Amino acid sequence: MRKKSGRPTKATKNHAVLGRKSARNMRDDSSVSPKNDTALRQAKEYEEFAADHGKRVKAAEATAKGFDYEAVAALVAKGQELAGNEAVFAAFIELPFWKKVQKGRPKPTHRQEAVRFLLRRYRGSSNLAAKQASERWRAVKVLLADGVELQSIAAALKERGGYRGINRSKRKDTSAEKSQKANPTDGETGHTKPTSDSTICRLEADFGPNIEWVSRLRAPCVISLVGTIEELGVPLKIRVEALDRLDEA
């Protein structure tokens, strides 16, 4: 049997060398030095300082938003009251504030929109204030049209995503309604109904060997045929919504 040598092996020597290098690198690395520990602690203090103030402002903004919803709800009630008094509204629109408003001053004919102008006075006379008042007025109109009671307006504003949420939803509904009017569909087939500008025609086409594939399409189906009107030299696209197979006699 061979006796184990007490001398370190090559692998052991390499490990020792790497260990010394690592220790030396750590001494040279300022990131683990006591001096850097102080800097890191101070950096965290700056971060916490900024984060704490951010939390305070966010909390204040949330509280202010709630106050704003309540103020708008109160102004809606007050505006409806003002709309019912012609003489007071006439005096209201002559107040000095309106002379500072460059655009959108109230007129006697605007009495039924008294809420709108109370909201404008609430936000101020600047152009930014005009946009803020308009945003609130549009949302309020939606809520009133939806039958929301005065005492529930503040809660409805919060539940429905505030002014932007309500106005965004209204725009989507309006766009969908316009699209439906522009492209009415048949309740039975779901296809677009022909409008007064549409033309219904009977088209015969030779699909060649593809007729078997076309015949297997489930009805109702829609096929777009793209070609050229030779006499005019212009491209043509025809939307086919109903297909009948014509067998040769």
Side-chain angles (χ1 to χ4, degrees):
M1 296 178 60
R2 290 184 180 180
K3 293 184 179 180
K4 293 183 178 180
S5 174
R7 288 180 297 178
T9 64
K10 185 176 181 180
T12 305
K13 289 181 179 179
N14 291 339
H15 181 74
V17 171
L18 290 173
R20 288 194 298 272
K21 285 184 177 179
S22 176
R24 185 165 59 251
N25 290 337
M26 289 181 65
R27 286 195 299 271
D28 295 338
D29 185 2
S30 62
S31 65
V32 293
S33 67
K35 182 179 179 180
N36 194 68
D37 287 343
T38 301
L40 181 61
R41 186 183 69 255
Q42 292 177 343
K44 288 183 177 179
E45 290 176 356
Y46 280 104
E47 180 194 24
E48 291 174 0
F49 181 83
D52 288 343
H53 279 74
K55 290 177 183 178
R56 293 179 187 177
V57 171
K58 285 183 179 179
E61 288 174 346
T63 301
K65 185 180 291 186
F67 287 150
D68 177 51
Y69 292 162
E70 292 175 3
V72 168
L75 287 166
V76 172
K78 205 69 176 175
Q80 291 184 345
E81 179 182 309
L82 177 59
N85 194 318
E86 184 176 0
V88 175
F89 184 77
F92 172 76
I93 64 178
E94 294 298 330
L95 293 175
F97 168 79
W98 298 109
K99 291 180 172 44
K100 296 183 291 183
V101 175
Q102 297 179 355
K103 195 174 181 180
R105 295 179 183 176
K107 299 177 181 178
T109 55
H110 292 150
R111 182 163 57 91
Q112 296 306 315
E113 295 184 357
V115 173
R116 168 188 167 192
F117 295 102
L118 276 186
L119 290 172
R120 179 61 191 276
R121 181 62 187 91
Y122 165 58
R123 297 311 300 176
S125 60
S126 68
N127 291 334
L128 175 61
K131 293 179 180 179
Q132 294 171 339
S134 178
E135 182 181 51
R136 284 159 174 75
W137 170 235
R138 292 196 306 272
V140 163
K141 286 194 295 183
V142 172
L143 295 181
L144 294 177
D146 289 348
V148 176
E149 297 182 356
L150 295 179
Q151 64 269 24
S152 302
I153 285 180
L157 286 169
K158 182 178 179 180
E159 292 169 2
R160 294 171 61 168
Y163 312 113
R164 291 185 180 179
I166 293 172
N167 293 333
R168 189 182 302 116
S169 178
K170 178 62 177 178
R171 284 195 298 270
K172 287 182 179 179
D173 292 343
T174 301
S175 297
E177 185 178 345
K178 288 182 179 179
S179 177
Q180 179 64 25
K181 288 181 179 180
N183 302 290
T185 57
D186 188 331
E188 296 181 359
T189 65
H191 292 159
T192 301
K193 289 182 178 179
T195 63
S196 58
D197 297 329
S198 301
T199 300
I200 300 176
C201 64
R202 181 180 179 86
L203 173 69
E204 293 186 12
D206 183 4
F207 290 95
N210 293 322
I211 187 61
E212 297 300 331
W213 174 82
V214 174
S215 300
R216 288 195 297 270
L217 293 176
R218 292 184 178 181
C221 64
V222 177
I223 294 179
S224 294
L225 303 179
V226 180
T228 303
I229 301 178
E230 294 181 355
E231 290 79 4
L232 300 177
V234 295
L236 172 69
K237 184 174 182 180
I238 299 177
R239 179 185 176 96
V240 182
E241 300 188 352
L243 291 173
D244 290 321
R245 179 170 179 171
L246 302 177
D247 293 323
E248 294 183 1

